[in-house]
Amino acid sequence: MLKRKIDNILINWKKRANHKPLIVKGARQVGKTMSIRHFAKQNYKHVVEINFALEEEYCSIFDDGFNVDDIIKNITFINPHVNFVPGETLIFFDELQVCPSCATSLKPFKIDGRYDIICSGSLMGVYYQQIESNSVGYKEDVLMHSMDFEEFLWACGYDNTLIDELFNHMLQVKPLSKLVMNQLIALFRDYMVLGGMPEVVDTFVTQKNFAGTLSLQQQLHLDYEEDITKYAVGMEKGKVLAVYRHISTFLAQENKRFQVTKIAHGARNREYVGAVEWLNSAGIINVCYCLHELALPLKGNYNPALYKIYYRDTGMLISSLDEEAQEDLRQNKNFATYKGAIFENIVADMLVKQGYDLYYYRNDKLSIEMDFFVRSANLLWPIEVKASNTATASLKKLTGNTALSHDINHGIKLCSANIGFNGKFYTFPYFLTFLLRRWLREQN
């Protein structure tokens, strides 16, 4: 059983007095079901698991209304062998998106209070909106991602001793030893190819090689397309599929920006906004918006019509490339050939997994382009991602330049180089990105 960060979230949820029913949201195959099952087995005497996708007959348990006793009676009518013991039972409703009516039952279950409730599902498209509108105030929501690099290190046998050591090196701006750098660069390259889908990672860790991992990823692409066909509404299906199939095309461009003309001649951006929002809500992509100006707050300063889109899992990006690119990446470890898109994609993914929204900046007149921006308590931090340890002209122009922004003092460069600071920006190797939010909390 892979150790996941949600394990502690679930334990702390159970410990809270009067906790509400919990909805664990996330994309397909990020490990929701396995993590909840593991938690349930460790913490409850009785577990009632209902999968609405595999056991469609259970969708009828709400036909008599949402009284808890009526729901329990209908469950036991279908399966008389389950046990419902107040205070000792977890009811796990899986694949919630198949039965949105279940979300309406969360309020009466919370008021009743005899049983703990956890729901899980992909929550796609209109189903997501419908579920969100039900039981407001009577549920908690947790967003689950695929495995981040810290979880990948756990899977490879490392513990928090290493994590804390890496963090202390960042705080002290102290370079890592050559041995540690080389080992972590190798691990990070493996992580880039694999991504964080638990089945893919588990296969790699168990076998100690990549055999079968690409086929698992390719099947996931087919599953995502099947879900789009199943859950996207009406004419949106074709548009959602078109955007999904062109993500790597956008990222192959020099500016990596979403351009609808790459999908269909004469198409208009506003016609595809809904498709992009659908994929984002489904947990399949990350959207990075262009800032109007370099000032806080970030959410008040972006242009919703200008954006880049990234896969929410870099393994899915790499597995979407053609066979020649696959061969180059896997055999030659040549990650820099795809116009830096792989490094940008994985940094975007690592930032989102820390809770950041994504923003970039482009000013052609001043020849400035910055990949990402994050914030500390009162400062704006530009982040430049380099496919190799090359010059950082944009960072130099932005840092300490009050004419451009009063909110920027220093910046961050992510590349293959060791930890350092030149008075203007900090340099960190890519693999330390997962510690940035923790590090920024310590900065003035």
Side-chain angles (χ1 to χ4, degrees):
M1 183 67 197
L2 295 169
K3 179 183 176 184
R4 302 297 304 275
K5 290 183 176 179
I6 199 171
D7 298 342
N8 284 335
I9 293 173
L10 294 173
I11 290 169
N12 291 331
W13 167 78
K14 187 178 189 302
K15 288 180 179 177
R16 287 199 299 274
N18 299 316
H19 49 265
K20 301 174 182 178
L22 185 70
I23 296 181
V24 179
K25 303 183 291 187
R28 175 191 278 270
Q29 297 297 317
V30 297
K32 301 182 296 296
T33 299
M34 291 302 296
S35 293
I36 294 168
R37 281 179 182 163
H38 177 70
F39 161 75
K41 184 178 179 180
Q42 300 294 319
N43 291 275
Y44 292 88
K45 291 183 179 179
H46 304 283
V47 179
V48 179
E49 179 179 340
I50 294 172
N51 185 308
F52 291 116
L54 300 179
E55 304 166 296
E56 293 184 10
E57 64 271 23
Y58 282 99
C59 292
S60 65
I61 62 177
F62 309 105
D63 287 354
D64 296 324
F66 297 97
N67 177 276
V68 170
D69 286 329
D70 289 337
I71 296 171
I72 299 302
K73 182 182 70 175
N74 287 337
I75 293 173
T76 56
F77 182 77
I78 296 172
N79 181 2
H81 302 292
V82 293
N83 292 312
F84 289 90
V85 180
E88 298 179 355
T89 303
L90 172 71
I91 305 175
F92 173 26
F93 293 119
D94 201 5
E95 301 292 354
L96 180 61
Q97 77 279 358
V98 177
C99 185
S101 295
C102 178
T104 306
S105 72
L106 301 185
K107 179 177 179 179
F109 269 115
K110 171 63 179 78
I111 294 172
D112 181 271
R114 285 177 289 169
Y115 313 107
D116 283 354
I117 308 292
I118 295 181
C119 303
S120 175
S122 297
L123 306 184
M124 293 184 168
V126 68
Y127 290 85
Y128 173 80
Q129 300 297 334
Q130 186 174 345
I131 290 167
E132 281 292 282
S133 66
N134 292 334
S135 298
V136 174
Y138 292 90
K139 63 178 176 64
E140 298 179 39
D141 296 278
V142 173
L143 179 60
M144 188 173 178
H145 300 280
S146 63
M147 298 173 71
D148 66 14
F149 187 54
E150 184 173 9
E151 291 172 314
F152 180 75
L153 289 175
W154 293 342
C156 292
Y158 297 93
D159 59 21
N160 288 332
T161 302
L162 172 65
I163 310 302
D164 291 340
E165 180 182 346
L166 295 175
F167 181 64
N168 286 329
H169 273 262
M170 293 176 72
L171 285 180
Q172 299 167 28
V173 198
K174 179 182 176 182
L176 299 166
S177 70
K178 185 177 180 179
L179 184 150
V180 172
M181 275 290 291
N182 290 341
Q183 181 65 14
L184 284 170
I185 287 172
L187 286 165
F188 192 66
R189 285 173 178 166
D190 290 344
Y191 176 66
M192 281 196 289
V193 172
L194 294 164
M197 294 300 186
E199 186 179 7
V200 176
V201 173
D202 189 53
T203 299
F204 171 78
V205 171
T206 301
Q207 297 178 165
K208 297 181 172 59
N209 59 57
F210 291 93
T213 58
L214 178 58
S215 62
L216 288 172
Q217 291 167 324
Q218 291 173 335
Q219 182 59 48
L220 271 171
H221 281 290
L222 295 175
D223 291 341
Y224 279 156
E225 294 200 6
E226 181 182 335
D227 284 342
I228 290 168
T229 302
K230 184 175 181 179
Y231 294 115
V233 179
M235 295 296 291
E236 289 297 314
K237 292 180 182 180
K239 293 176 181 177
V240 174
L241 277 172
V243 173
Y244 179 71
R245 290 169 177 170
H246 282 81
I247 296 173
S248 56
T249 303
F250 305 136
L251 293 176
Q253 300 173 131
E254 197 64 44
N255 65 12
K256 302 177 182 62
R257 186 163 60 84
F258 173 81
Q259 291 176 292
V260 72
T261 53
K262 298 291 182 181
I263 296 177
H265 179 71
R268 298 179 180 180
N269 188 59
R270 66 172 180 268
E271 297 171 348
Y272 283 80
V273 170
V276 173
E277 290 178 348
W278 193 97
L279 288 167
N280 190 34
S281 295
I284 295 172
I285 64 170
N286 289 318
V287 182
C288 182
Y289 291 100
C290 185
L291 292 172
H292 275 305
E293 55 182 311
L294 301 175
L296 296 171
L298 289 169
K299 286 189 176 180
N301 290 310
Y302 72 88
N303 184 345
L306 297 177
Y307 51 87
K308 303 177 185 180
I309 58 177
Y310 300 97
Y311 277 99
R312 202 169 284 197
D313 185 271
T314 302
M316 297 296 285
L317 166 61
I318 290 180
S319 61
S320 74
L321 304 179
D322 56 46
E323 290 185 12
E324 292 76 15
Q326 289 278 345
E327 183 177 344
D328 192 24
L329 287 164
R330 293 173 184 271
Q331 293 185 12
N332 303 322
K333 306 294 183 185
N334 193 1
F335 294 96
T337 58
Y338 199 60
K339 299 184 185 298
I342 293 172
F343 290 105
E344 272 193 43
N345 198 102
I346 199 161
V347 168
D349 178 44
M350 294 170 88
L351 291 175
V352 168
K353 285 173 178 173
Q354 293 171 77
Y356 286 114
D357 294 320
L358 299 179
Y359 303 97
Y360 74 100
Y361 180 72
R362 185 183 180 96
N363 187 321
D364 292 331
K365 188 179 294 186
L366 298 176
S367 299
I368 294 175
E369 183 169 7
M370 190 52 51
D371 300 311
F372 302 106
F373 285 84
V374 295
R375 64 171 299 172
S376 56
N378 53 10
L379 290 174
L380 188 60
W381 289 76
I383 298 177
E384 189 161 11
V385 182
K386 306 296 289 186
S388 57
N389 188 20
T390 54
T392 53
S394 292
L395 259 185
K396 291 176 180 176
K397 291 177 182 178
L398 285 176
T399 50
N401 188 340
T402 55
L404 283 172
S405 175
H406 291 280
D407 294 326
I408 298 174
N409 285 348
H410 299 108
I412 297 168
K413 175 183 175 182
L414 299 172
C415 61
S416 58
N418 213 323
I419 297 172
F421 179 61
N422 65 1
K424 279 183 168 286
F425 56 84
Y426 293 86
T427 298
F428 296 121
Y430 309 110
F431 56 77
L432 291 180
T433 304
F434 78 97
L435 288 169
L436 273 185
R437 188 157 207 157
R438 183 177 169 187
W439 178 79
L440 282 169
R441 290 193 183 106
E442 301 294 328
Q443 308 307 306
N444 296 325

